Amino acid sequence: PSPGETLELGSATVTFLAPIDMSLAETNVNNSSIILRIVYGKTSFLFTGDAEIEEELSLLKAGTDIQSTVLKVGHHGSYTSSSEEFLAAIDPDYAVISVGMGSEYGHPHDAALERISKFCPVIYRTDLNGEVICYSDGLKLIFECGS
């Protein structure tokens, strides 16, 4: 999909936001990650794939609305993602980090966790919380964790 394309998913709208600049993928394929935002009522979700800081900044430079209630943290909480500028623009209430227990890459990295915690009051991690499921009725969110 191209940036700006949308599709309806029931009562929700999915908007594809990135990748905007495919030349960023020449040095790191993670920067070709699809970033999408789902809006359902008054709740919104930003999914960032493995996008790194360069792709995040290209999205900010484009002036794209990325404010979201829930952020699925990029690149499993790598220090190469989740820049302060990006997190400030998202202004999430919740963050979810999908990462395996004892990640061989050391994810999530402490530097990323510190940045995320500055901007997000609640962080769920699959290595600590197990499976994370979020339900929305369009007004409020309910999270369930566990295996």
Side-chain angles (χ1 to χ4, degrees), residues 30-47:
N30 287 337
N31 286 319
S32 65
S33 291
I34 291 175
I35 298 177
L36 59 87
R37 184 170 180 253
I38 302 173
V39 176
Y40 178 56
K42 295 186 180 288
T43 62
S44 52
F45 305 80
L46 187 69
F47 295 87

PDB file of all heavy atoms in Angstrom, residues 30-47:
ATOM      1  N   ASN A  30      14.874  -2.361   7.503  1.00  0.00           N
ATOM      2  CA  ASN A  30      13.832  -2.065   8.493  1.00  0.00           C
ATOM      3  C   ASN A  30      13.096  -0.772   8.164  1.00  0.00           C
ATOM      4  O   ASN A  30      11.951  -0.588   8.560  1.00  0.00           O
ATOM      5  CB  ASN A  30      14.421  -1.972   9.898  1.00  0.00           C
ATOM      6  CG  ASN A  30      14.815  -3.331  10.437  1.00  0.00           C
ATOM      7  OD1 ASN A  30      14.303  -4.354  10.008  1.00  0.00           O
ATOM      8  ND2 ASN A  30      15.753  -3.346  11.361  1.00  0.00           N
ATOM      9  N   ASN A  31      13.762   0.120   7.458  1.00  0.00           N
ATOM     10  CA  ASN A  31      13.144   1.390   7.098  1.00  0.00           C
ATOM     11  C   ASN A  31      12.198   1.278   5.904  1.00  0.00           C
ATOM     12  O   ASN A  31      11.744   2.290   5.376  1.00  0.00           O
ATOM     13  CB  ASN A  31      14.208   2.460   6.868  1.00  0.00           C
ATOM     14  CG  ASN A  31      14.803   2.905   8.183  1.00  0.00           C
ATOM     15  OD1 ASN A  31      14.095   3.072   9.167  1.00  0.00           O
ATOM     16  ND2 ASN A  31      16.103   3.089   8.210  1.00  0.00           N
ATOM     17  N   SER A  32      11.878   0.041   5.516  1.00  0.00           N
ATOM     18  CA  SER A  32      10.810  -0.173   4.539  1.00  0.00           C
ATOM     19  C   SER A  32       9.576  -0.742   5.233  1.00  0.00           C
ATOM     20  O   SER A  32       8.635  -1.193   4.583  1.00  0.00           O
ATOM     21  CB  SER A  32      11.269  -1.108   3.418  1.00  0.00           C
ATOM     22  OG  SER A  32      11.530  -2.404   3.930  1.00  0.00           O
ATOM     23  N   SER A  33       9.585  -0.719   6.554  1.00  0.00           N
ATOM     24  CA  SER A  33       8.456  -1.241   7.329  1.00  0.00           C
ATOM     25  C   SER A  33       7.188  -0.449   7.058  1.00  0.00           C
ATOM     26  O   SER A  33       7.215   0.774   6.944  1.00  0.00           O
ATOM     27  CB  SER A  33       8.750  -1.165   8.832  1.00  0.00           C
ATOM     28  OG  SER A  33       9.747  -2.072   9.204  1.00  0.00           O
ATOM     29  N   ILE A  34       6.092  -1.173   6.984  1.00  0.00           N
ATOM     30  CA  ILE A  34       4.792  -0.513   6.876  1.00  0.00           C
ATOM     31  C   ILE A  34       4.429   0.032   8.253  1.00  0.00           C
ATOM     32  O   ILE A  34       4.522  -0.677   9.256  1.00  0.00           O
ATOM     33  CB  ILE A  34       3.713  -1.488   6.381  1.00  0.00           C
ATOM     34  CG1 ILE A  34       3.982  -1.856   4.921  1.00  0.00           C
ATOM     35  CG2 ILE A  34       2.314  -0.891   6.556  1.00  0.00           C
ATOM     36  CD1 ILE A  34       3.048  -2.897   4.365  1.00  0.00           C
ATOM     37  N   ILE A  35       4.058   1.293   8.288  1.00  0.00           N
ATOM     38  CA  ILE A  35       3.532   1.911   9.503  1.00  0.00           C
ATOM     39  C   ILE A  35       2.071   2.222   9.210  1.00  0.00           C
ATOM     40  O   ILE A  35       1.753   2.806   8.177  1.00  0.00           O
ATOM     41  CB  ILE A  35       4.291   3.194   9.877  1.00  0.00           C
ATOM     42  CG1 ILE A  35       5.769   2.885  10.168  1.00  0.00           C
ATOM     43  CG2 ILE A  35       3.635   3.876  11.077  1.00  0.00           C
ATOM     44  CD1 ILE A  35       6.617   4.107  10.467  1.00  0.00           C
ATOM     45  N   LEU A  36       1.205   1.787  10.110  1.00  0.00           N
ATOM     46  CA  LEU A  36      -0.209   2.073   9.901  1.00  0.00           C
ATOM     47  C   LEU A  36      -0.870   2.525  11.186  1.00  0.00           C
ATOM     48  O   LEU A  36      -0.396   2.232  12.282  1.00  0.00           O
ATOM     49  CB  LEU A  36      -0.940   0.875   9.289  1.00  0.00           C
ATOM     50  CG  LEU A  36      -0.959  -0.453  10.019  1.00  0.00           C
ATOM     51  CD1 LEU A  36      -2.109  -0.521  11.018  1.00  0.00           C
ATOM     52  CD2 LEU A  36      -1.105  -1.575   9.020  1.00  0.00           C
ATOM     53  N   ARG A  37      -1.948   3.270  11.008  1.00  0.00           N
ATOM     54  CA  ARG A  37      -2.716   3.807  12.143  1.00  0.00           C
ATOM     55  C   ARG A  37      -4.158   3.354  11.971  1.00  0.00           C
ATOM     56  O   ARG A  37      -4.731   3.477  10.892  1.00  0.00           O
ATOM     57  CB  ARG A  37      -2.623   5.327  12.155  1.00  0.00           C
ATOM     58  CG  ARG A  37      -3.297   5.977  13.342  1.00  0.00           C
ATOM     59  CD  ARG A  37      -2.921   7.476  13.382  1.00  0.00           C
ATOM     60  NE  ARG A  37      -3.544   8.139  14.495  1.00  0.00           N
ATOM     61  CZ  ARG A  37      -4.569   8.985  14.397  1.00  0.00           C
ATOM     62  NH1 ARG A  37      -5.068   9.297  13.209  1.00  0.00           N
ATOM     63  NH2 ARG A  37      -5.079   9.541  15.478  1.00  0.00           N
ATOM     64  N   ILE A  38      -4.714   2.831  13.045  1.00  0.00           N
ATOM     65  CA  ILE A  38      -6.104   2.416  13.058  1.00  0.00           C
ATOM     66  C   ILE A  38      -6.865   3.340  14.002  1.00  0.00           C
ATOM     67  O   ILE A  38      -6.453   3.536  15.152  1.00  0.00           O
ATOM     68  CB  ILE A  38      -6.259   0.950  13.527  1.00  0.00           C
ATOM     69  CG1 ILE A  38      -5.461   0.019  12.615  1.00  0.00           C
ATOM     70  CG2 ILE A  38      -7.734   0.553  13.589  1.00  0.00           C
ATOM     71  CD1 ILE A  38      -5.416  -1.427  13.100  1.00  0.00           C
ATOM     72  N   VAL A  39      -7.951   3.912  13.504  1.00  0.00           N
ATOM     73  CA  VAL A  39      -8.795   4.768  14.325  1.00  0.00           C
ATOM     74  C   VAL A  39     -10.151   4.090  14.463  1.00  0.00           C
ATOM     75  O   VAL A  39     -10.780   3.720  13.463  1.00  0.00           O
ATOM     76  CB  VAL A  39      -8.963   6.172  13.699  1.00  0.00           C
ATOM     77  CG1 VAL A  39      -9.923   7.012  14.521  1.00  0.00           C
ATOM     78  CG2 VAL A  39      -7.610   6.861  13.580  1.00  0.00           C
ATOM     79  N   TYR A  40     -10.564   3.919  15.709  1.00  0.00           N
ATOM     80  CA  TYR A  40     -11.862   3.327  16.009  1.00  0.00           C
ATOM     81  C   TYR A  40     -12.523   4.194  17.069  1.00  0.00           C
ATOM     82  O   TYR A  40     -12.099   4.201  18.229  1.00  0.00           O
ATOM     83  CB  TYR A  40     -11.697   1.887  16.484  1.00  0.00           C
ATOM     84  CG  TYR A  40     -12.996   1.210  16.855  1.00  0.00           C
ATOM     85  CD1 TYR A  40     -14.055   1.124  15.951  1.00  0.00           C
ATOM     86  CD2 TYR A  40     -13.168   0.646  18.114  1.00  0.00           C
ATOM     87  CE1 TYR A  40     -15.246   0.510  16.295  1.00  0.00           C
ATOM     88  CE2 TYR A  40     -14.348   0.016  18.459  1.00  0.00           C
ATOM     89  CZ  TYR A  40     -15.390  -0.043  17.549  1.00  0.00           C
ATOM     90  OH  TYR A  40     -16.569  -0.649  17.886  1.00  0.00           O
ATOM     91  N   GLY A  41     -13.512   4.957  16.651  1.00  0.00           N
ATOM     92  CA  GLY A  41     -14.161   5.884  17.574  1.00  0.00           C
ATOM     93  C   GLY A  41     -13.157   6.899  18.074  1.00  0.00           C
ATOM     94  O   GLY A  41     -12.450   7.533  17.295  1.00  0.00           O
ATOM     95  N   LYS A  42     -13.040   7.011  19.387  1.00  0.00           N
ATOM     96  CA  LYS A  42     -12.104   7.963  19.988  1.00  0.00           C
ATOM     97  C   LYS A  42     -10.767   7.312  20.350  1.00  0.00           C
ATOM     98  O   LYS A  42      -9.925   7.927  20.985  1.00  0.00           O
ATOM     99  CB  LYS A  42     -12.733   8.599  21.230  1.00  0.00           C
ATOM    100  CG  LYS A  42     -13.949   9.454  20.904  1.00  0.00           C
ATOM    101  CD  LYS A  42     -14.449  10.178  22.125  1.00  0.00           C
ATOM    102  CE  LYS A  42     -15.656  11.018  21.825  1.00  0.00           C
ATOM    103  NZ  LYS A  42     -15.371  12.201  21.049  1.00  0.00           N
ATOM    104  N   THR A  43     -10.584   6.051  19.946  1.00  0.00           N
ATOM    105  CA  THR A  43      -9.339   5.351  20.224  1.00  0.00           C
ATOM    106  C   THR A  43      -8.545   5.179  18.933  1.00  0.00           C
ATOM    107  O   THR A  43      -9.106   5.129  17.848  1.00  0.00           O
ATOM    108  CB  THR A  43      -9.590   3.970  20.866  1.00  0.00           C
ATOM    109  OG1 THR A  43     -10.339   3.150  19.959  1.00  0.00           O
ATOM    110  CG2 THR A  43     -10.349   4.107  22.178  1.00  0.00           C
ATOM    111  N   SER A  44      -7.226   5.112  19.081  1.00  0.00           N
ATOM    112  CA  SER A  44      -6.373   4.951  17.903  1.00  0.00           C
ATOM    113  C   SER A  44      -5.136   4.139  18.270  1.00  0.00           C
ATOM    114  O   SER A  44      -4.695   4.133  19.422  1.00  0.00           O
ATOM    115  CB  SER A  44      -5.983   6.313  17.333  1.00  0.00           C
ATOM    116  OG  SER A  44      -5.444   7.134  18.349  1.00  0.00           O
ATOM    117  N   PHE A  45      -4.613   3.474  17.260  1.00  0.00           N
ATOM    118  CA  PHE A  45      -3.505   2.542  17.441  1.00  0.00           C
ATOM    119  C   PHE A  45      -2.476   2.788  16.347  1.00  0.00           C
ATOM    120  O   PHE A  45      -2.841   2.878  15.169  1.00  0.00           O
ATOM    121  CB  PHE A  45      -4.008   1.093  17.326  1.00  0.00           C
ATOM    122  CG  PHE A  45      -5.138   0.776  18.256  1.00  0.00           C
ATOM    123  CD1 PHE A  45      -6.442   1.156  17.949  1.00  0.00           C
ATOM    124  CD2 PHE A  45      -4.901   0.098  19.434  1.00  0.00           C
ATOM    125  CE1 PHE A  45      -7.496   0.867  18.812  1.00  0.00           C
ATOM    126  CE2 PHE A  45      -5.952  -0.197  20.307  1.00  0.00           C
ATOM    127  CZ  PHE A  45      -7.256   0.187  19.989  1.00  0.00           C
ATOM    128  N   LEU A  46      -1.203   2.880  16.718  1.00  0.00           N
ATOM    129  CA  LEU A  46      -0.135   3.052  15.743  1.00  0.00           C
ATOM    130  C   LEU A  46       0.749   1.810  15.771  1.00  0.00           C
ATOM    131  O   LEU A  46       1.292   1.448  16.818  1.00  0.00           O
ATOM    132  CB  LEU A  46       0.698   4.295  16.062  1.00  0.00           C
ATOM    133  CG  LEU A  46       1.742   4.668  15.018  1.00  0.00           C
ATOM    134  CD1 LEU A  46       1.058   5.173  13.739  1.00  0.00           C
ATOM    135  CD2 LEU A  46       2.682   5.733  15.557  1.00  0.00           C
ATOM    136  N   PHE A  47       0.873   1.167  14.604  1.00  0.00           N
ATOM    137  CA  PHE A  47       1.706  -0.020  14.442  1.00  0.00           C
ATOM    138  C   PHE A  47       2.908   0.370  13.593  1.00  0.00           C
ATOM    139  O   PHE A  47       2.740   0.860  12.472  1.00  0.00           O
ATOM    140  CB  PHE A  47       0.907  -1.140  13.766  1.00  0.00           C
ATOM    141  CG  PHE A  47      -0.232  -1.639  14.607  1.00  0.00           C
ATOM    142  CD1 PHE A  47      -1.472  -1.018  14.562  1.00  0.00           C
ATOM    143  CD2 PHE A  47      -0.061  -2.725  15.445  1.00  0.00           C
ATOM    144  CE1 PHE A  47      -2.531  -1.469  15.346  1.00  0.00           C
ATOM    145  CE2 PHE A  47      -1.119  -3.194  16.229  1.00  0.00           C
ATOM    146  CZ  PHE A  47      -2.358  -2.554  16.176  1.00  0.00           C
TER     147      PHE A  47
END
